Amino acid sequence: MSISETLLFEHIQDSLGDNTELDANSELFSTGLLDSAEMMRLIAFLDEKTGIDIGMEDVTLENFDTVARIQEFVAAKR
């Protein structure tokens, strides 16, 4: 199952808890917007919504630093 960009943005905005402006290419982890605890929350969210198995080897900035990369990663894992 894929995940919509809207649902992913909503989850991330909820994690930020403020009005930070984001787009599909906003860097989330490399800039410190989100931390390792939020990474774990994001992985659990993706697992719940998509059913994909995310291994520790998958948890990289290349796969998770932007909404666009997250969606590409999820699409590749399906």
Side-chain angles (χ1 to χ4, degrees):
M1 176 188 299
S2 64
I3 188 164
S4 75
E5 184 177 77
T6 301
L7 188 60
L8 192 50
F9 271 117
E10 287 174 359
H11 175 79
I12 291 169
Q13 281 295 156
D14 183 52
S15 295
L16 291 172
D18 62 22
N19 294 325
T20 302
E21 292 290 323
L22 296 176
D23 64 36
N25 293 306
S26 296
E27 295 174 336
L28 305 170
F29 295 97
S30 62
T31 61
L33 279 176
L34 298 177
D35 61 18
S36 58
E38 292 304 328
M39 173 66 83
M40 298 309 294
R41 187 171 173 245
L42 177 60
I43 290 169
F45 172 78
L46 291 172
D47 180 52
E48 176 187 326
K49 296 297 182 188
T50 66
I52 62 171
D53 182 35
I54 301 171
M56 290 310 295
E57 68 278 2
D58 296 321
V59 183
T60 65
L61 288 177
E62 184 175 308
N63 292 334
F64 284 92
D65 202 28
T66 69
V67 169
R69 289 181 188 176
I70 295 167
Q71 286 189 294
E72 290 171 9
F73 168 76
V74 169
K77 289 291 276 190
R78 292 185 313 149

